[in-house]
Amino acid sequence: MVVLKFGGSSVATIEMIDSVLDIVGQRLDEAPVLVSSAMGKTTDRLVEATEAAGRGDRDEYRRVYTELREVHEDAVRRIADSSVREYAAGRLTDLFDEIQALLTGVSLIQECSPRTRAAVLSFGERLATEIVHARACDRGFDSVLLDSRDLIRTDDEFTAANVDFRETERQIKAYVIPIAGRVVVVQGFIARTAGGVTSTLGRGGSDYSASIIAAALEAEKLEIWTDVDGIMTMDPRIVPEAQTIDSMSYDEAAELAFFGARVVHPSTIQPAVDRGVPVFVRNTRNPDLAGTRISDATDIEGPRALASKSPTTVITIHSSRMLNAYGFLARIFAIFERHRLSVDVVATSEVSVSVTLDDPPDLSGLMSDLAAFGRVEREDDQALICLVGNRLWRRSETVARVFDSLRDIPIRLISLGSSDVNLTLIVPSEALQRAVRTLHNTLFVP
Ligand code: ADP
Ligand code: ASP
Ligand code: MG
């Protein structure tokens, strides 16, 4: 079996869905399982609608709702076979009625729990797969639509749920294996708790769903189809000169994803790695290209790719009590843990420690807790740049080239990854584009 995951941009319109089905049509003898994201930016729009409803802003949530309804209904109108079209239109009506009821509820009580938020967000994938499945039937494929909530079991962290892998694997096998060989269509991102309530795997989580399904089925391949030719040396939206990378190790890809390359979701990697399923990243608009293969090992040394995250905040704690004191860092990190803030980069000196936080929410509680240790400083509008590659520093020439190319950039922090696979720099946001492009073109453009 092969698991083919198509992201939002790959199913944004009925024309794109047709390109997806052209790809699937070439793969029928491999027993494809098609995992679909929500159409285009639907999940972002559902977030906006939920937030507007939570503020009691009826005009706004109704406006977003109406727009979403039009986009989806428009796609269904393009289905040729009248009985398939009418069935799909009926399903859309039912789903949109549910969304409306939920949003009305949220707007009446002006409160939205994670459980309700997950329920609303789940509709993006549910709507998209109705349309993908209908179009597949319309084109004569032997398509079956499953509900991923029957496949993936999670705990009650509704918007970033943790997977119960044993039960999930049992369910996936029970539902999918008997119908292997037909075109199996399922939603990414959504799941269900042991109590039967809808949950979601966190933003960008469709890759994770696909990886979990591929692992459970011990698929021959997991292919993540998106809108770029593969994993590239840098996000091509930021550096147009970015180049596609033929093959990458799991460690490099995970590192890149963690530091901001949203082309693959970090946790995507793990379930597939554990079962030795090869992962490919490919372009729906350019299906003749092989894309990037992510495998368990490559022997390539040196710089492979860059990633960036912006905005990032740097927090520095200055304290003379750090001198020769053991347990100091542990106490500081306990505070970050208590505030449920995850730290990206750490740099220490004898009397200070700096950490970076990714786009943090209100930090006043954290700042006052940290003040117990000494003077605390906060710098907003910073950006993180991460250079990834195996044994980056084997050749001192690389270090020299990196820092030489950045001589005009005000670097705020440097962290040389302890695993020798990354170098992380913090620069002011306004210097990000310049820094990353200079570094990229020095290292990757011949
Ligand atoms: P999808 O909708 O298919 O899930 P995403 O938007 O999540 O797609 O991911 C694809 C996008 O990731 C690309 O359009 C690109 O802008 C961005 N991206 C960031 N870093 C990289 C990288 N190193 N290589 C390729 N794409 C990257
Ligand atoms: N639709 C979800 C999101 O936008 C999941 C995904 O696309 O991966 O976060
Ligand atoms: Mg994605």
Side-chain angles (χ1 to χ4, degrees):
M1 302 184 81
V2 289
V3 175
L4 310 175
K5 179 263 170 178
F6 293 91
S9 52
S10 299
V11 292
T13 59
I14 196 80
E15 288 78 13
M16 286 303 294
I17 291 175
D18 275 333
S19 307
V20 164
L21 293 172
D22 291 341
I23 292 166
V24 173
Q26 305 279 318
R27 311 291 293 271
L28 296 178
D29 53 349
E30 293 173 73
V33 176
L34 191 167
V35 179
S36 175
S37 288
M39 289 175 79
K41 300 273 173 215
T42 298
T43 313
D44 291 338
R45 310 311 312 279
L46 289 169
V47 170
E48 283 166 36
T50 317
E51 284 170 359
R55 295 191 301 271
D57 186 345
R58 283 195 189 193
D59 290 346
E60 176 62 8
Y61 86 71
R62 285 187 178 152
R63 190 184 63 74
V64 177
Y65 168 88
T66 307
E67 246 180 65
L68 278 179
R69 188 159 187 158
E70 271 162 18
V71 168
H72 288 83
E73 288 182 345
D74 213 40
V76 165
R77 274 195 284 276
R78 307 275 296 280
I79 289 172
D81 182 294
S82 62
S83 59
V84 174
R85 186 176 61 240
E86 276 157 33
Y87 178 78
R91 289 293 302 138
L92 251 56
T93 303
D94 291 347
L95 293 171
F96 274 109
D97 286 350
E98 277 186 64
I99 301 175
Q100 182 153 46
L102 277 167
L103 290 174
T104 307
V106 172
S107 77
L108 287 174
I109 48 175
Q110 294 196 18
E111 193 262 352
C112 184
S113 66
R115 174 172 166 159
T116 308
R117 189 181 161 95
V120 178
L121 297 199
S122 75
F123 282 92
E125 271 68 12
R126 292 161 68 191
L127 289 162
T129 47
E130 289 291 347
I131 298 171
V132 170
H133 167 63
R135 185 57 154 186
C137 295
D138 193 31
R139 288 181 45 171
F141 289 110
D142 179 19
S143 170
V144 200
L145 175 59
L146 296 182
D147 188 330
S148 286
R149 292 172 298 173
D150 296 330
L151 306 184
I152 299 182
R153 163 80 64 88
T154 69
D155 66 5
D156 287 352
E157 288 277 332
F158 294 100
T159 51
N162 301 294
V163 175
D164 170 350
F165 281 96
R166 263 183 64 174
E167 185 54 19
T168 296
E169 181 167 342
R170 194 190 64 71
Q171 294 184 151
I172 292 171
K173 285 185 165 144
Y175 275 91
V176 181
I177 290 175
I179 53 171
R182 303 176 68 186
V183 173
V184 181
V185 178
V186 292
Q187 307 79 23
F189 185 53
I190 70 173
R192 189 180 277 136
T193 69
V197 181
T198 300
S199 56
T200 55
L201 300 178
R203 293 304 310 272
S206 291
D207 295 346
Y208 191 31
S209 308
S211 169
I212 293 165
I213 293 168
L217 296 171
E218 297 186 44
E220 273 131 57
K221 278 177 194 167
L222 163 61
E223 295 181 359
I224 296 176
W225 289 83
T226 182
D227 62 352
V228 282
D229 289 344
I231 300 184
M232 307 184 76
T233 46
M234 173 62 199
D235 187 341
R237 285 177 218 228
I238 301 178
V239 177
E241 297 87 352
Q243 298 174 359
T244 308
I245 299 169
D246 296 339
S247 98
M248 262 207 137
S249 71
Y250 284 113
D251 290 350
E252 289 170 323
E255 201 79 20
L256 205 57
F258 179 75
F259 284 105
R262 78 183 157 157
V263 63
V264 277
H265 191 273
S267 3
T268 299
I269 314 296
Q270 209 52 51
V273 186
D274 291 349
R275 290 290 167 89
V277 178
V279 182
F280 294 81
V281 179
R282 302 184 64 177
N283 191 348
T284 308
R285 292 175 193 272
N286 220 347
D288 294 336
L289 296 182
T292 302
R293 183 194 163 114
I294 305 175
S295 59
D296 39 11
T298 65
D299 353 320
I300 301 170
E301 278 187 7
R304 302 299 313 280
L306 286 161
S308 69
K309 271 191 193 180
S310 176
T312 282
T313 295
V314 179
I315 308 267
T316 305
I317 303 117
H318 303 269
S319 171
S320 51
R321 276 189 282 153
M322 235 179 120
L323 281 166
N324 300 322
Y326 47 83
F328 186 87
L329 285 177
R331 289 200 297 281
I332 287 190
F333 283 115
I335 292 179
F336 284 94
E337 191 188 339
R338 196 157 70 236
H339 288 272
R340 307 192 78 170
L341 289 166
S342 127
V343 164
D344 282 334
V345 179
V346 182
T348 62
S349 80
E350 198 52 24
V351 290
S352 69
V353 47
S354 294
V355 303
T356 72
L357 298 170
D358 181 16
D359 197 11
D362 177 22
L363 292 179
S364 46
L366 173 86
M367 298 295 279
S368 64
D369 285 356
L370 289 175
F373 292 89
R375 190 163 57 81
V376 188
E377 229 181 299
R378 164 179 182 168
E379 293 158 90
D380 289 314
D381 298 322
Q382 305 292 306
L384 179 153
I385 300 174
C386 180
L387 171 63
V388 169
N390 285 317
R391 295 180 286 280
L392 263 183
W393 310 115
R394 186 61 63 92
R395 294 195 313 181
S396 53
E397 183 204 321
T398 312
V399 190
R401 284 174 74 204
V402 165
F403 289 103
D404 189 45
S405 74
L406 294 173
R407 63 183 173 273
D408 296 328
I409 307 282
I411 300 174
R412 176 65 190 76
L413 275 185
I414 299 172
S415 162
L416 261 167
S418 46
S419 52
D420 201 20
V421 296
N422 80 47
L423 161 73
T424 316
L425 305 167
I426 304 291
V427 301
S429 289
E430 50 81 17
L432 171 66
Q433 173 100 21
R434 196 159 46 98
V436 103
R437 204 162 170 186
T438 309
L439 191 54
H440 179 274
N441 293 354
T442 304
L443 293 171
F444 303 116
V445 179

